[in-house]
Amino acid sequence: MTTYQITVNGERREVKVDPSTPLLWVLREELKLTGTKYGCGIAACGACTVHLGGKATRTCVLRVSAVGDQEVVTIEGIGADPVGRLVRETWVEKDVVQCGYCQSGQIMSAVALLKEKPKPTDANIEEGMGNLCRCATYVRIREAIKSAATKLT
Amino acid sequence: MRFAERFHNRFRPDRRDFLKTSTAVTGGLLLGLYMDHPARGQGSNQTTQPSAFVQIRRDGRIVVSVRHLEMGQGVLTALPMIIAEELDADWSQVTPEHAPAGDAYKAPPLGIQSTSGSWSVRYAYQQHRELGARARAMLVGAAADRWKVRPDECRTQAGVVYGPSGQSARYAELADDASRRPVPDEVVLKKPSDFRIIGKSTRRIDSRAKTDGSQKFALDMDLPGMQTALIARPPVFGACVKAFDAQAARSIEGVRDVFEIPLVKGSGVAVVADRFWTAKQAREQLKIDWDFAGVERADSKELRTKYRAMAQKPGNIAVSRGDKGALSRIPSSRRLIADYELPYLAHAALEPLNMTLRYDGDRAEAWAPSQFPTLDQGVLAHALGLDPSKVTLHVVFAGGGFGRRSPLDGHVPFEAAAIAKRLRGTPIRLVYTREDDMRSGYYRPMTTHRVEVGIGADGMPSAWQHVVVGQSFIIGTAMEKTFIKDGVDPLVVEGAANNKYRIPNFQVSAHHPVVNVPVYTLRSVGHSQNTFVVETLIDEMAVRAKADPIAYRLKLLDPQATKVRDALTLLEEKSRWRKGLARGHAAGIACADYWDTGIACAAEVSIVNKRPRVHRVTVAIACGLAVNPLSIEAQCQGAIGFGLTQLMSAITLKDGEVEQSNFNEFRPPYMSDAPAVIDVHVVPSNDAPLGVGEPATPVVSPAVVNALARLTGKRYRSLPLTSV
């Protein structure tokens, strides 16, 4: 067990875990931030996506020891960001979610995409949104991203 | 008799239900169902709190208990809409919650508490309207008494009763008084033209919690002192632990216990630890010697060979109409033999299987994303040696289900019980890793089909013989006696035996091989295969007849099959885009009658890198009255995406072991695989609502393949598609 200091949603947090523990399980089990989900454990599905130093990052294969000083923002914290807030609101407006299990990751990916490409093309959206949704809410995700983009100045 | 009716009649619970009200502990009006179990004798006429369906609280909130699992399909919005309509509730005050496992929540057609078959709205509609209307009548009665007027002089709107002389009272103010009134026997329901909530596109009630990370799914359970349990499962279904060395696993800090447990078939080794990651690491350290004696090692390639041979001959007869000899009299130039091979599929819901359970010796409490809560409760009770009344099962939001959270053998509660029993007093959370989930079986069965068709001089099929080879869902379970007729599992042949085409000489038969691979229902069940077979073959004949695929189907369909005809007719109008497609693009059509819902779709497809690219899908659905059109659109869009899975992926076995273990090997559709546009059109209707969660699932894969056939001239009868 090793003690790590990480910054999550603007707060400095201290955790004592095995160094091999993925950030996902630190968030979920140590910090009780369960909005970030476990789906595959091999970075294939994206349910565990957070922002690490501002970039969409899959945390199920990211050791906590590799986080260092980079700021972690999770679904619970993304509402503090104007783009994050807008994306969440658009998700509700467009009635995107079904089971909702993947949607934390979808929203984190969408926010990162819109920050990098405020006017994304369909190809940009497909490339930036590599998150699996078994309910297949993809049509509304696409619509919501386009709708949010029109509201970004 | 139809499958559902047989189910219903067989499992009609031996009980009398009666609606009763009570003042809830917190005050207000609680309208619920008391259960009277004559069989339990003394003390059975319970006067405890009824199982609530609707509570009107003093703070104005209207809490609706939903007996079904919310797994994405929107039932936690739809059922409250139905109650709120007749209650004339203020929708903004309505709060749904999952009902726990309980006899009061058992529902038709299965007679158990279940979420399956796209049945929730269909079988709740009338009852929930009546519940809402009864609660409303009691509130109106309370107001009328208070104002000394007649109830029929009062009216209600958005949670307020208005009297004839300008009086008004909010439901919350009336709830206590209303709770002391008898429940009316007869209530008058609204005319659909007066609906203010039903039929209006209504956003999901759970969106906000599902977009800010606050929604708790079953896997998010966190109880004080809770331990996480993983199971090392045998590499071949049903194998047993011969010996195991847990020394290294036990030495890991945080590991609480390692022990062998029985599985429904075979055995495994449970690892219990304070954290998921600890348990996972410890499990990797286990050294297990497995005993494979007497265990069949299923192998997909060998099974294919065996199934192909079986398909050469008719099986047990599911349906036989007309003249069996008709086919042989049709000249060979107008005869066709089509062999289909469809794979095992994993449900692969994104939230892996799990259950949280605490066993205290004389009672147990469980939290589970269960599609069959009363069944799971019964399995827990049996395994723990408790009366079911001592087992509380809380139904918790599921990250997808698709049928996987309802196996009849209750293997998840069975395993959880074995672990919780050993750790009495400690809450345990049994978690399947993705690999466990994907390799755990209960797949959509692999099937082989041989269809021989004779085409009449008019270009329409006049003789049809379809042999289905596939494992039964039911044979070998407690339901076998009730549902297996003449050796045929009705779920394996659904969509084949009962499709709505009028073919005069028509035989469908089935072989149900017994294979050591657990199978179970996957969204749209037998239709997921049979609709593929039927709709690609019908399309092939339409092409042969140089007919429009919609016109050809309408000509062949039973005139009485109004729902599927309505869907096709609407599709014809909404898919005019089929006429003006770009070069290299083609459209394919498919339709089905899915448990009375009519469904039809058109898919626009091109070929990119030897794979089909689905650009757009138009769906028409005839599902009776559309309770929540916004949700019907979502369900059809989702079902289309889900239905593409079998074009892309398969579960296969080699020497008894499942070859796929995660999403890199069993790749479901991602956004780049799914159509960018899915337009959904609902046939307007005031008929009683029908199911919408599954019907669109089985029509998309044949529509895509029919479009591919137009592009390449080839017929694709084996899935997944390798290269086009």
Side-chain angles (χ1 to χ4, degrees), chain A residues 5-6 20 27 32 63 85 97 105 110 119 146:
Chain A
Q5 300 239 325
I6 55 174
S20 72
L27 294 171
K32 312 293 182 192
R63 285 167 167 240
R85 194 159 55 244
V97 314
K119 299 287 172 228
K146 287 181 177 174

Side-chain angles (χ1 to χ4, degrees), chain B residues 685-707:
Chain B
S685 170
N686 280 335
D687 296 348
L690 297 165
V692 301
E694 293 167 281
T697 314
V699 288
V700 67
S701 56
V704 168
V705 164
N706 292 340

Side-chain angles (χ1 to χ4, degrees), chain B residues 122-376:
Chain B
R122 179 177 185 168
Y123 288 98
Y125 184 67
Q126 182 69 17
Q127 184 202 30
H128 281 54
R129 285 180 72 192
E130 289 174 6
L131 279 165
R134 288 196 166 97
R136 177 186 167 277
M138 292 160 74
L139 292 159
V140 168
D145 279 3
R146 189 178 288 184
W147 300 327
K148 306 209 179 341
V149 301
R150 293 195 320 273
D152 64 8
E153 293 176 285
C154 301
R155 63 186 181 85
T156 51
Q157 195 185 334
V160 180
V161 184
Y162 296 94
S165 322
Q167 307 96 321
S168 71
R170 290 179 299 113
Y171 285 1
E173 301 166 44
L174 296 164
D176 281 356
D177 284 352
S179 71
R180 288 186 279 274
R181 304 178 68 82
V183 182
D185 285 336
E186 297 288 323
V187 280
V188 179
L189 300 180
K190 288 182 181 179
K191 293 197 291 285
S193 55
D194 293 332
F195 286 165
R196 279 177 276 196
I197 297 172
I198 291 176
K200 304 291 177 292
S201 275
T202 303
R203 290 193 184 95
R204 300 177 62 97
I205 230 160
D206 54 2
S207 266
R208 209 156 279 281
K210 287 177 174 178
T211 50
D212 66 11
S214 64
Q215 180 64 64
K216 296 295 180 203
F217 292 85
L219 202 61
D220 302 329
M221 282 302 300
D222 183 24
L223 300 171
M226 186 180 80
Q227 302 281 303
T228 295
L230 299 186
I231 298 172
R233 295 161 195 284
V236 178
F237 296 113
C240 289
V241 176
K242 193 187 282 173
F244 70 101
D245 174 357
Q247 202 182 351
R250 283 183 194 280
S251 71
I252 294 173
E253 189 184 342
V255 173
R256 167 90 171 255
D257 205 349
V258 183
F259 50 97
E260 184 181 349
I261 63 161
L263 304 175
V264 166
K265 275 174 83 182
S267 69
V269 177
V271 178
V272 183
D274 58 351
R275 295 166 163 93
F276 172 86
W277 193 248
T278 314
K280 186 164 183 290
Q281 284 185 303
R283 188 173 70 169
E284 283 162 12
Q285 296 299 316
L286 289 174
K287 293 185 192 74
I288 305 175
D289 189 10
W290 297 100
D291 182 358
F292 298 103
V295 175
E296 176 199 338
R297 289 176 178 269
D299 188 291
S300 309
K301 287 205 175 95
E302 290 170 14
L303 287 175
R304 275 292 170 228
T305 308
K306 186 177 150 191
Y307 282 21
R308 259 176 231 149
M310 293 174 93
Q312 304 296 310
K313 287 187 185 146
N316 296 322
I317 303 298
V319 61
S320 182
R321 283 198 303 265
D323 177 1
K324 265 187 254 176
L327 186 68
S328 61
R329 293 194 296 273
I330 293 173
S332 58
S333 62
R334 285 197 272 113
R335 269 181 11 214
L336 189 79
I337 295 179
D339 294 312
Y340 288 84
E341 301 194 327
L342 306 173
Y344 285 118
L345 287 183
H347 303 68
L350 202 54
E351 179 195 23
L353 296 169
N354 68 91
M355 175 178 264
T356 300
L357 176 63
R358 190 184 58 232
Y359 169 65
D360 294 321
D362 56 354
R363 60 184 304 278
E365 192 168 7
W367 293 261
S370 174
Q371 289 183 246
F372 283 5
T374 46
L375 187 143
D376 286 351

Side-chain angles (χ1 to χ4, degrees), chain B residues 712-723:
Chain B
T712 66
K714 289 188 218 157
R715 288 286 161 182
Y716 305 89
R717 294 185 177 129
S718 290
L719 298 182
L721 298 167
T722 42
S723 73

Side-chain angles (χ1 to χ4, degrees), chain B residues 524-572:
Chain B
S524 85
V525 196
H527 279 270
S528 74
Q529 288 140 326
N530 294 318
T531 298
F532 181 81
V533 170
V534 171
E535 285 300 302
T536 51
L537 211 41
I538 292 292
D539 202 75
E540 190 168 338
M541 286 183 282
V543 169
R544 243 178 116 119
K546 297 187 171 58
D548 174 81
I550 293 180
Y552 186 88
R553 285 171 169 82
L554 283 170
K555 189 175 170 190
L556 189 61
L557 278 167
D558 187 336
Q560 310 289 320
T562 51
K563 287 282 186 282
V564 62
R565 298 186 75 90
D566 288 351
L568 266 178
T569 305
L570 184 61
L571 181 71
E572 156 72 14

Side-chain angles (χ1 to χ4, degrees), chain A residues 29-30 34 37 44 138 140, chain B residues 220 275 429 630 633 669-670:
Chain A
E29 294 191 338
E30 309 302 318
T34 54
K37 301 301 186 200
Y138 301 122
R140 289 191 184 171
Chain B
D220 302 329
R275 295 166 163 93
R429 180 181 60 176
L630 191 63
E633 180 192 74
Y670 284 68

